[in-house]
Amino acid sequence: MAFQLGKSLAAQRGMSYWGWLFVIAVFGFGLTIVSKMGPAYIDAHFVEEGLQTLSKQSAVRDMSNSEIKRELDRFFTINNVRGEPAKAVKIIRGADSTLVSINYELRQPLFHNVDVVMKFDKQLNTAKPELCCEPLVDLEQFRKRDEY
C-alpha cells in the first residue's frame, strides 16, 4: 500500500521546467500575433461599420464621389482608422447602382524576416444595401475592361 501511495504522488509532480518554458513560449507567441494583427482587424471592423452606416443613408446614390468619401473620412476620423483603409476607397458608378469598394492589403512584420499579409475587401452596392460589406463584384473585371 505504501509503495502504491509513493508511486501515485510521484506521478502528480506537475510540469517540469521545460513544460513551463514551452507553455510560456506558446503564450508569448500568441500574444505577439494578437498584438501585431489585432489593430488591422479592428480597423477592418470599423471599415465595415462605416459602409453599413453609409448604406442606411437614403441618398447615397445621389451623393457625389467626394461627398461619399467625405462621409467615410469623417467616420474613419472619429474611429481612428488611418492608413490603407482610408486611402483605398474606390467608387464605381453603374446605370442602376453605385459601388463603394474598400479593397486593401496590409503587410505586418511579425519577427525577423517573417511578415503576415492580411487582405480586406469590403463593398457596398447601393442596389443591394442589405448585402453590405461582402465583396459582390470582382473589381479586376473593371480594371481589365478599362485597360482596353
Side-chain angles (χ1 to χ4, degrees):
M1 182 73 161
F3 177 69
Q4 288 177 341
L5 181 62
K7 185 177 181 183
S8 66
L9 288 176
Q12 297 179 11
R13 288 186 315 181
M15 282 199 296
S16 68
Y17 169 77
W18 295 109
W20 276 110
L21 192 62
F22 179 74
V23 167
I24 291 170
V26 168
F27 180 74
F29 182 72
L31 194 61
T32 300
I33 297 239
V34 168
S35 70
K36 298 278 185 160
M37 295 172 62
Y41 282 96
I42 291 170
D43 284 351
H45 169 74
F46 283 123
V47 165
E48 186 171 330
E49 208 171 286
L51 287 176
Q52 287 174 348
T53 302
L54 192 63
S55 74
K56 292 176 183 163
Q57 294 182 5
S58 59
V60 174
R61 178 95 172 90
D62 301 325
M63 294 170 79
S64 70
N65 290 1
S66 61
E67 288 174 325
I68 292 172
K69 286 184 179 184
R70 193 174 321 118
E71 284 294 316
L72 285 172
D73 281 340
R74 186 176 303 134
F75 186 87
F76 292 163
T77 301
I78 290 170
N79 292 295
N80 200 26
V81 176
R82 297 183 183 146
E84 286 300 316
K87 295 176 194 171
V89 177
K90 295 212 181 350
I91 300 166
I92 300 170
R93 301 276 179 175
D96 59 347
S97 69
T98 300
L99 180 71
V100 181
S101 174
I102 304 176
N103 183 359
Y104 61 100
E105 181 178 291
L106 289 175
R107 180 177 295 270
Q108 179 66 39
L110 194 57
F111 54 87
H112 193 53
N113 63 347
V114 177
D115 291 351
V116 176
V117 177
M118 297 166 280
K119 293 182 180 184
F120 299 97
D121 189 8
K122 306 290 182 186
Q123 293 180 359
L124 166 64
N125 189 343
T126 57
K128 298 176 183 174
E130 66 278 358
L131 299 176
C132 175
C133 308
E134 293 304 317
L136 302 172
V137 177
D138 181 20
L139 293 180
E140 288 301 317
Q141 69 184 357
F142 290 102
R143 288 190 188 107
K144 288 176 184 172
R145 182 191 69 190
D146 292 340
E147 289 175 1
Y148 299 113

